[in-house]
Every structure is written in structure tokens, then in C-alpha cells.
Amino acid sequence: MPPDDSENRLPEPWLTKPQLAEHLAVSDRWIELQQHVDLTYLRMGGLNRYRVSEVETWIREHYNSSTESSRAT
């Protein structure tokens, strides 16, 4: 049986808004606007935190469908 790598992995870190903005190459304001249309985040002590994997999944779900439909035309 192959070894289970999940025990050796560190949990995914929570990012701040500026860290996420830098990762996505967008502005802090863009992230704020996306929160109004249900961008996933966790509110911790008055600050929002984000997980890259969750945000990237959300972006694919909300933006890929319009991108693919525009390519078809």
C-alpha cells in the first residue's frame, strides 16, 4: 500500500486580502467587489482571510462559463 501523503502536508494557509490580490494579480478593491457576489472568505476578528484553493475554485465557477461562451462566437 502506498504511503499516505496527507499526514505530511501542512494545512493550506489563510491569506490576507493584499496577499490574495498579489497572488491573483488583481487589486484589493476587485476582491472586495467579488465578496459582494459571494466570493468565499472567512471573517476572523474583523479581518477577512482567504484560502487560495477555495478562491480559485470560486473564480472558475463564476468566470469560466462566460469566458468559454465568448470563445465559441
Side-chain angles (χ1 to χ4, degrees):
M1 179 184 253
D4 184 5
D5 285 344
S6 63
E7 292 179 19
N8 297 328
R9 290 186 203 155
L10 294 173
E12 182 180 358
W14 290 97
L15 300 182
T16 63
K17 187 189 316 172
Q19 289 170 325
L20 180 63
E22 182 177 341
H23 174 78
L24 297 174
V26 299
S27 68
D28 288 5
R29 182 69 179 139
W30 184 87
I31 293 170
E32 292 168 8
L33 292 171
Q34 301 317 299
Q35 286 177 190
H36 294 290
V37 287
D38 298 327
L39 175 68
T40 182
Y41 67 94
L42 176 67
R43 186 102 173 138
M44 295 191 311
L47 301 171
N48 296 340
R49 295 291 187 253
Y50 311 85
R51 286 232 163 113
V52 170
S53 62
E54 294 175 5
V55 171
E56 288 179 349
T57 298
W58 183 88
I59 289 171
R60 275 191 227 78
E61 291 171 355
H62 287 78
Y63 287 98
N64 273 357
S65 61
S66 62
T67 302
E68 290 182 17
S69 65
S70 66
R71 285 185 200 161
T73 58

Coordinates of all heavy atoms in Angstrom, one line a residue:
M1 N 0.9 -1.2 0.0 CA 0.0 0.0 0.0 C 0.9 1.2 0.0 O 1.8 1.3 0.8 CB -0.9 0.0 1.2 CG -1.8 1.1 1.3 SD -2.8 1.1 2.9 CE -4.4 0.7 2.2
P2 N 0.6 2.2 -0.9 CA 1.5 3.4 -0.9 C 1.3 4.3 0.3 O 0.2 4.3 0.9 CB 1.0 4.2 -2.2 CG -0.3 3.6 -2.6 CD -0.4 2.2 -1.9
P3 N 2.3 5.0 0.7 CA 2.2 5.9 1.9 C 1.2 7.0 1.7 O 1.0 7.5 0.6 CB 3.6 6.4 2.1 CG 4.3 6.3 0.8 CD 3.6 5.1 0.1
D4 N 0.5 7.4 2.7 CA -0.5 8.5 2.7 C 0.2 9.8 2.9 O 0.7 10.1 4.0 CB -1.6 8.2 3.7 CG -2.7 9.3 3.7 OD1 -2.7 10.1 2.8 OD2 -3.5 9.3 4.6
D5 N 0.3 10.6 1.8 CA 1.0 11.9 1.9 C 0.2 12.9 2.7 O 0.8 14.0 3.1 CB 1.2 12.5 0.5 CG 2.3 11.8 -0.2 OD1 3.1 11.1 0.4 OD2 2.4 11.9 -1.5
S6 N -1.1 12.7 3.0 CA -1.9 13.7 3.6 C -1.4 14.0 5.0 O -1.5 15.1 5.5 CB -3.3 13.3 3.7 OG -3.5 12.1 4.4
E7 N -0.7 13.1 5.7 CA -0.2 13.3 7.0 C 1.0 14.2 7.0 O 1.3 14.9 7.9 CB 0.2 12.0 7.7 CG -1.0 11.1 8.0 CD -0.6 9.8 8.6 OE1 0.5 9.7 9.1 OE2 -1.4 8.9 8.6
N8 N 1.8 14.3 5.9 CA 3.0 15.1 5.7 C 2.7 16.5 5.2 O 3.6 17.3 5.3 CB 4.0 14.4 4.8 CG 4.4 13.0 5.4 OD1 4.5 12.9 6.6 ND2 4.7 12.1 4.5
R9 N 1.5 16.7 4.8 CA 1.2 18.1 4.2 C 0.8 19.0 5.3 O 0.1 18.7 6.2 CB 0.0 18.0 3.2 CG 0.4 17.3 2.0 CD -0.7 17.3 1.0 NE -0.6 16.3 0.0 CZ -1.6 15.7 -0.6 NH1 -2.8 16.2 -0.4 NH2 -1.4 14.8 -1.5
L10 N 1.3 20.3 5.2 CA 0.8 21.3 6.1 C -0.5 21.8 5.6 O -0.8 21.8 4.4 CB 1.8 22.4 6.1 CG 3.2 22.1 6.6 CD1 4.1 23.3 6.4 CD2 3.1 21.8 8.1
P11 N -1.4 22.3 6.6 CA -2.7 22.8 6.1 C -2.4 24.1 5.3 O -1.4 24.8 5.4 CB -3.4 23.2 7.4 CG -2.4 23.1 8.5 CD -1.2 22.3 8.0
E12 N -3.3 24.3 4.3 CA -3.2 25.5 3.5 C -3.4 26.7 4.3 O -4.3 26.9 5.1 CB -4.3 25.4 2.4 CG -4.3 26.6 1.5 CD -5.4 26.5 0.4 OE1 -6.2 25.5 0.4 OE2 -5.5 27.4 -0.4
P13 N -2.5 27.7 4.1 CA -2.5 28.9 4.9 C -3.7 29.8 4.5 O -4.1 29.8 3.4 CB -1.2 29.6 4.7 CG -0.8 29.1 3.3 CD -1.3 27.7 3.2
W14 N -4.1 30.6 5.5 CA -5.1 31.7 5.2 C -4.3 32.9 4.8 O -3.3 33.3 5.4 CB -5.9 32.0 6.5 CG -6.8 30.9 6.8 CD1 -6.6 29.9 7.8 CD2 -8.1 30.6 6.3 NE1 -7.7 29.1 7.9 CE2 -8.7 29.5 7.0 CE3 -8.9 31.2 5.3 CZ2 -9.9 29.0 6.7 CZ3 -10.2 30.7 5.1 CH2 -10.7 29.6 5.7
L15 N -4.8 33.5 3.7 CA -4.1 34.7 3.2 C -4.9 36.0 3.5 O -6.2 36.0 3.7 CB -4.0 34.7 1.7 CG -3.2 33.5 1.1 CD1 -3.2 33.7 -0.5 CD2 -1.9 33.4 1.6
T16 N -4.2 37.1 3.6 CA -4.9 38.4 3.8 C -5.3 38.9 2.4 O -5.0 38.3 1.4 CB -3.9 39.4 4.4 OG1 -2.8 39.6 3.4 CG2 -3.3 39.0 5.7
K17 N -6.1 39.9 2.4 CA -6.6 40.5 1.1 C -5.4 40.9 0.2 O -5.4 40.6 -0.9 CB -7.5 41.7 1.4 CG -8.2 42.2 0.1 CD -9.0 43.5 0.4 CE -9.8 43.4 1.6 NZ -10.5 44.7 1.9
P18 N -4.4 41.7 0.8 CA -3.3 42.0 -0.1 C -2.5 40.8 -0.6 O -2.1 40.8 -1.8 CB -2.4 42.9 0.8 CG -3.3 43.4 1.9 CD -4.4 42.3 2.1
Q19 N -2.4 39.8 0.2 CA -1.7 38.6 -0.3 C -2.4 37.9 -1.4 O -1.8 37.5 -2.4 CB -1.4 37.6 0.9 CG -0.4 38.1 1.9 CD -0.4 37.2 3.1 OE1 -1.5 36.7 3.6 NE2 0.7 37.0 3.7
L20 N -3.7 37.8 -1.2 CA -4.6 37.2 -2.3 C -4.5 38.1 -3.5 O -4.4 37.5 -4.6 CB -6.0 37.0 -1.8 CG -7.0 36.4 -2.8 CD1 -6.5 35.0 -3.1 CD2 -8.4 36.4 -2.3
A21 N -4.7 39.4 -3.4 CA -4.6 40.3 -4.5 C -3.3 40.1 -5.3 O -3.3 40.0 -6.6 CB -4.8 41.7 -4.1
E22 N -2.2 40.0 -4.6 CA -0.9 39.8 -5.3 C -0.9 38.4 -6.0 O -0.5 38.4 -7.1 CB 0.2 39.9 -4.3 CG 1.6 39.7 -4.9 CD 2.7 39.9 -3.9 OE1 2.5 40.4 -2.8 OE2 3.8 39.4 -4.3
H23 N -1.4 37.4 -5.3 CA -1.4 36.1 -5.9 C -2.2 36.1 -7.2 O -1.8 35.4 -8.2 CB -2.0 35.0 -5.0 CG -2.1 33.7 -5.5 ND1 -1.1 32.8 -5.7 CD2 -3.2 33.1 -6.0 CE1 -1.6 31.7 -6.3 NE2 -2.9 31.8 -6.5
L24 N -3.4 36.7 -7.2 CA -4.3 36.7 -8.4 C -3.9 37.8 -9.4 O -4.5 37.9 -10.5 CB -5.7 36.9 -7.9 CG -6.3 35.8 -7.1 CD1 -7.7 36.2 -6.6 CD2 -6.3 34.5 -7.8
A25 N -3.0 38.7 -9.0 CA -2.7 39.9 -9.9 C -3.9 40.8 -10.1 O -4.2 41.2 -11.3 CB -2.0 39.5 -11.2
V26 N -4.6 41.1 -9.0 CA -5.8 42.0 -9.1 C -5.6 43.0 -8.0 O -4.7 42.9 -7.1 CB -7.1 41.2 -8.9 CG1 -7.3 40.2 -10.1 CG2 -7.2 40.5 -7.6
S27 N -6.5 44.0 -7.9 CA -6.5 44.9 -6.8 C -7.3 44.5 -5.6 O -8.1 43.6 -5.7 CB -7.1 46.3 -7.3 OG -8.5 46.1 -7.5
D28 N -7.0 45.1 -4.5 CA -7.7 44.8 -3.3 C -9.2 45.1 -3.5 O -10.1 44.4 -3.0 CB -7.2 45.6 -2.1 CG -5.9 45.2 -1.6 OD1 -5.2 44.3 -2.1 OD2 -5.4 45.8 -0.5
R29 N -9.5 46.2 -4.2 CA -10.8 46.6 -4.5 C -11.6 45.5 -5.3 O -12.8 45.3 -5.0 CB -10.8 47.9 -5.3 CG -12.2 48.4 -5.5 CD -12.9 48.9 -4.3 NE -14.2 49.4 -4.6 CZ -15.3 49.1 -3.9 NH1 -15.3 48.4 -2.8 NH2 -16.5 49.6 -4.3
W30 N -10.9 44.8 -6.2 CA -11.6 43.8 -7.0 C -12.0 42.7 -6.1 O -13.2 42.2 -6.2 CB -10.6 43.2 -8.1 CG -11.3 42.2 -8.9 CD1 -12.0 42.5 -10.1 CD2 -11.3 40.8 -8.8 NE1 -12.4 41.3 -10.6 CE2 -12.0 40.2 -9.8 CE3 -10.8 39.9 -7.8 CZ2 -12.2 38.9 -10.0 CZ3 -11.0 38.6 -7.9 CH2 -11.7 38.1 -9.0
I31 N -11.2 42.3 -5.1 CA -11.6 41.3 -4.1 C -12.8 41.7 -3.3 O -13.7 41.0 -3.1 CB -10.4 40.9 -3.3 CG1 -9.3 40.3 -4.1 CG2 -10.8 40.0 -2.1 CD1 -8.0 40.1 -3.4
E32 N -12.8 43.0 -2.9 CA -13.9 43.5 -2.1 C -15.2 43.4 -2.9 O -16.3 43.0 -2.4 CB -13.7 44.9 -1.7 CG -12.6 45.1 -0.7 CD -12.1 46.5 -0.5 OE1 -12.8 47.4 -1.1 OE2 -11.1 46.8 0.2
L33 N -15.1 43.7 -4.2 CA -16.3 43.7 -5.0 C -16.8 42.3 -5.2 O -18.0 42.0 -5.3 CB -16.0 44.3 -6.4 CG -15.8 45.9 -6.3 CD1 -15.3 46.4 -7.7 CD2 -17.1 46.6 -5.9
Q34 N -15.9 41.3 -5.3 CA -16.3 39.9 -5.5 C -16.9 39.3 -4.3 O -17.7 38.5 -4.4 CB -15.1 39.1 -5.9 CG -14.4 39.5 -7.2 CD -15.4 39.9 -8.3 OE1 -16.2 39.1 -8.8 NE2 -15.3 41.1 -8.8
Q35 N -16.6 39.9 -3.1 CA -17.2 39.4 -1.9 C -18.7 39.7 -1.9 O -19.5 39.0 -1.3 CB -16.5 40.1 -0.7 CG -15.2 39.5 -0.4 CD -14.5 40.2 0.8 OE1 -13.3 39.9 1.0 NE2 -15.1 41.0 1.5
H36 N -19.1 40.8 -2.6 CA -20.5 41.2 -2.7 C -21.2 40.2 -3.6 O -22.5 40.2 -3.6 CB -20.6 42.6 -3.2 CG -20.1 43.6 -2.2 ND1 -20.8 43.8 -1.0 CD2 -19.0 44.4 -2.2 CE1 -20.1 44.8 -0.3 NE2 -19.0 45.1 -1.0
V37 N -20.5 39.4 -4.4 CA -21.2 38.4 -5.2 C -20.7 37.0 -4.7 O -20.5 36.1 -5.5 CB -20.9 38.6 -6.7 CG1 -21.7 39.7 -7.2 CG2 -19.5 38.7 -7.0
D38 N -20.5 36.9 -3.4 CA -20.3 35.6 -2.7 C -18.9 35.0 -2.9 O -18.8 33.7 -2.8 CB -21.4 34.6 -3.1 CG -22.8 35.0 -2.7 OD1 -22.8 35.7 -1.6 OD2 -23.7 34.7 -3.4
L39 N -17.9 35.8 -3.1 CA -16.5 35.2 -3.0 C -16.3 34.6 -1.6 O -16.7 35.2 -0.6 CB -15.5 36.3 -3.2 CG -14.0 35.9 -3.1 CD1 -13.6 34.9 -4.2 CD2 -13.1 37.1 -3.0
T40 N -15.8 33.4 -1.6 CA -15.6 32.7 -0.3 C -14.5 33.3 0.5 O -13.5 33.6 0.0 CB -15.4 31.2 -0.6 OG1 -15.3 30.5 0.7 CG2 -14.2 31.0 -1.4
Y41 N -14.8 33.5 1.8 CA -13.8 34.1 2.7 C -14.3 33.7 4.2 O -15.4 33.3 4.4 CB -13.6 35.6 2.6 CG -14.8 36.4 3.0 CD1 -14.9 37.0 4.2 CD2 -15.8 36.7 2.0 CE1 -16.0 37.8 4.6 CE2 -16.9 37.5 2.4 CZ -17.0 38.0 3.7 OH -18.1 38.8 4.0
L42 N -13.3 33.9 5.1 CA -13.6 33.7 6.5 C -13.3 35.0 7.2 O -12.3 35.6 7.0 CB -12.7 32.6 7.1 CG -12.8 32.3 8.5 CD1 -14.2 31.7 8.9 CD2 -11.7 31.4 9.0
R43 N -14.3 35.4 8.0 CA -14.2 36.6 8.8 C -13.6 36.2 10.2 O -14.1 35.4 10.9 CB -15.5 37.2 9.0 CG -15.5 38.6 9.7 CD -15.7 39.6 8.6 NE -15.8 40.9 9.3 CZ -15.2 42.0 8.8 NH1 -14.4 41.9 7.7 NH2 -15.3 43.1 9.4
M44 N -12.4 36.8 10.5 CA -11.7 36.5 11.7 C -11.3 37.8 12.4 O -10.5 38.5 12.0 CB -10.4 35.6 11.5 CG -10.7 34.3 10.9 SD -9.3 33.1 10.9 CE -8.0 34.1 10.1
G45 N -12.0 38.1 13.5 CA -11.7 39.2 14.3 C -11.7 40.5 13.5 O -10.8 41.4 13.7
G46 N -12.7 40.7 12.7 CA -12.8 41.9 11.9 C -12.0 42.0 10.6 O -12.0 42.9 9.9
L47 N -11.2 40.9 10.4 CA -10.4 40.8 9.2 C -10.9 39.6 8.3 O -11.2 38.6 8.9 CB -8.9 40.6 9.5 CG -8.3 41.7 10.4 CD1 -6.9 41.2 10.9 CD2 -8.2 43.0 9.6
N48 N -10.8 39.8 7.0 CA -11.2 38.7 6.1 C -9.9 37.9 5.8 O -8.8 38.4 5.5 CB -11.8 39.2 4.9 CG -13.1 39.8 5.1 OD1 -13.7 39.6 6.2 ND2 -13.6 40.7 4.2
R49 N -10.1 36.6 5.7 CA -9.0 35.7 5.3 C -9.5 34.8 4.2 O -10.7 34.4 4.1 CB -8.5 34.8 6.5 CG -7.9 35.6 7.6 CD -6.5 36.2 7.1 NE -5.8 36.8 8.2 CZ -5.7 38.1 8.3 NH1 -6.3 39.0 7.5 NH2 -5.0 38.7 9.3
Y50 N -8.6 34.3 3.3 CA -8.9 33.6 2.1 C -8.0 32.4 2.0 O -6.8 32.4 2.3 CB -8.7 34.5 0.9 CG -9.4 35.8 1.0 CD1 -8.7 36.9 1.7 CD2 -10.7 36.1 0.6 CE1 -9.3 38.1 1.8 CE2 -11.3 37.3 0.7 CZ -10.6 38.3 1.4 OH -11.2 39.6 1.5
R51 N -8.6 31.3 1.4 CA -7.8 30.2 1.0 C -7.7 30.2 -0.5 O -8.7 30.2 -1.2 CB -8.4 28.9 1.5 CG -8.3 28.7 3.0 CD -7.7 27.3 3.3 NE -7.1 27.3 4.6 CZ -7.6 26.5 5.6 NH1 -8.7 25.8 5.4 NH2 -7.0 26.5 6.8
V52 N -6.5 30.1 -1.1 CA -6.3 30.2 -2.5 C -7.1 29.1 -3.2 O -7.8 29.4 -4.2 CB -4.8 30.1 -2.8 CG1 -4.6 29.9 -4.3 CG2 -4.1 31.3 -2.3
S53 N -7.1 27.9 -2.7 CA -7.8 26.8 -3.4 C -9.3 27.1 -3.5 O -9.9 26.9 -4.6 CB -7.6 25.5 -2.8 OG -8.1 25.5 -1.4
E54 N -9.9 27.6 -2.5 CA -11.3 27.9 -2.5 C -11.6 29.1 -3.4 O -12.6 29.1 -4.1 CB -11.8 28.2 -1.0 CG -11.7 27.1 -0.1 CD -12.1 27.4 1.3 OE1 -12.5 28.5 1.6 OE2 -11.9 26.5 2.2
V55 N -10.8 30.1 -3.4 CA -11.0 31.3 -4.2 C -10.8 30.9 -5.7 O -11.6 31.3 -6.5 CB -10.0 32.4 -3.8 CG1 -10.1 33.6 -4.9 CG2 -10.4 33.0 -2.4
E56 N -9.8 30.1 -6.0 CA -9.6 29.7 -7.4 C -10.8 28.9 -7.9 O -11.2 29.0 -9.1 CB -8.3 29.0 -7.6 CG -7.1 30.0 -7.5 CD -5.8 29.4 -7.6 OE1 -5.6 28.1 -7.6 OE2 -4.8 30.1 -7.7
T57 N -11.3 28.0 -7.1 CA -12.5 27.2 -7.4 C -13.7 28.2 -7.7 O -14.4 28.0 -8.7 CB -12.8 26.2 -6.3 OG1 -11.7 25.3 -6.2 CG2 -14.1 25.4 -6.7
W58 N -13.9 29.1 -6.8 CA -15.0 30.1 -7.0 C -14.8 30.9 -8.3 O -15.8 31.1 -9.0 CB -15.0 31.0 -5.8 CG -16.1 32.0 -5.8 CD1 -17.4 31.9 -5.3 CD2 -16.1 33.3 -6.4 NE1 -18.1 33.0 -5.5 CE2 -17.4 33.9 -6.2 CE3 -15.1 34.1 -7.1 CZ2 -17.7 35.2 -6.7 CZ3 -15.5 35.3 -7.6 CH2 -16.7 35.9 -7.3
I59 N -13.6 31.3 -8.6 CA -13.4 32.1 -9.8 C -13.7 31.2 -11.0 O -14.4 31.7 -12.0 CB -11.9 32.6 -9.9 CG1 -11.7 33.7 -8.9 CG2 -11.5 33.0 -11.3 CD1 -10.3 34.1 -8.7
R60 N -13.3 30.0 -11.0 CA -13.6 29.1 -12.2 C -15.1 28.9 -12.4 O -15.6 28.9 -13.5 CB -12.9 27.7 -12.0 CG -11.5 27.6 -12.4 CD -11.0 26.1 -12.4 NE -9.8 26.0 -11.8 CZ -9.5 26.0 -10.5 NH1 -10.4 26.1 -9.6 NH2 -8.2 25.8 -10.1
E61 N -15.8 28.7 -11.3 CA -17.2 28.6 -11.3 C -18.0 29.8 -11.8 O -19.0 29.7 -12.5 CB -17.8 28.2 -9.9 CG -17.4 26.8 -9.5 CD -17.7 26.5 -8.1 OE1 -18.3 27.4 -7.3 OE2 -17.5 25.4 -7.6
H62 N -17.5 31.0 -11.5 CA -18.1 32.2 -11.8 C -17.7 32.9 -13.1 O -18.4 33.7 -13.7 CB -18.0 33.2 -10.6 CG -18.9 32.9 -9.5 ND1 -18.6 31.9 -8.6 CD2 -20.1 33.3 -9.1 CE1 -19.5 31.8 -7.7 NE2 -20.5 32.6 -8.0
Y63 N -16.5 32.6 -13.5 CA -15.9 33.3 -14.7 C -15.6 32.4 -15.9 O -15.6 32.9 -17.0 CB -14.7 34.1 -14.3 CG -15.0 35.3 -13.5 CD1 -14.9 35.3 -12.1 CD2 -15.5 36.5 -14.1 CE1 -15.3 36.4 -11.3 CE2 -15.9 37.6 -13.3 CZ -15.8 37.5 -11.9 OH -16.1 38.6 -11.2
N64 N -15.4 31.2 -15.7 CA -15.1 30.3 -16.8 C -16.2 30.1 -17.8 O -16.0 30.1 -19.0 CB -14.6 28.9 -16.4 CG -13.1 28.9 -16.2 OD1 -12.4 29.9 -16.4 ND2 -12.6 27.8 -15.7
S65 N -17.4 30.1 -17.3 CA -18.6 29.9 -18.2 C -18.7 31.0 -19.2 O -19.0 30.8 -20.3 CB -19.9 29.7 -17.4 OG -20.1 30.8 -16.6
S66 N -18.5 32.3 -18.7 CA -18.6 33.4 -19.6 C -17.5 33.5 -20.6 O -17.6 33.8 -21.7 CB -18.7 34.7 -18.8 OG -17.6 34.9 -18.1
T67 N -16.3 33.0 -20.1 CA -15.1 33.0 -21.0 C -15.3 32.0 -22.1 O -15.0 32.3 -23.3 CB -13.8 32.6 -20.2 OG1 -13.7 33.6 -19.1 CG2 -12.6 32.6 -21.0
E68 N -15.8 30.8 -21.8 CA -15.9 29.8 -22.8 C -17.0 30.1 -23.8 O -16.9 29.9 -24.9 CB -16.2 28.4 -22.1 CG -15.0 27.9 -21.4 CD -15.2 26.6 -20.7 OE1 -16.2 25.9 -21.1 OE2 -14.4 26.2 -19.9
S69 N -18.1 30.8 -23.3 CA -19.1 31.1 -24.3 C -18.7 32.2 -25.2 O -19.1 32.3 -26.4 CB -20.4 31.6 -23.5 OG -20.2 32.8 -22.8
S70 N -17.8 33.1 -24.8 CA -17.3 34.2 -25.7 C -16.3 33.6 -26.7 O -16.2 34.1 -27.8 CB -16.6 35.3 -24.9 OG -15.5 34.8 -24.2
R71 N -15.6 32.5 -26.4 CA -14.7 31.8 -27.3 C -15.5 31.2 -28.4 O -15.0 31.0 -29.5 CB -13.9 30.8 -26.6 CG -12.8 31.4 -25.8 CD -11.9 30.2 -25.2 NE -11.2 30.7 -24.1 CZ -10.7 29.9 -23.2 NH1 -10.8 28.6 -23.3 NH2 -10.0 30.4 -22.2
A72 N -16.7 30.7 -28.1 CA -17.5 30.0 -29.1 C -18.0 30.9 -30.2 O -18.3 30.4 -31.3 CB -18.6 29.3 -28.4
T73 N -18.0 32.2 -30.0 CA -18.5 33.1 -31.0 C -17.5 33.6 -31.9 O -16.3 33.6 -31.7 CB -19.3 34.3 -30.4 OG1 -18.4 35.0 -29.5 CG2 -20.5 33.8 -29.7

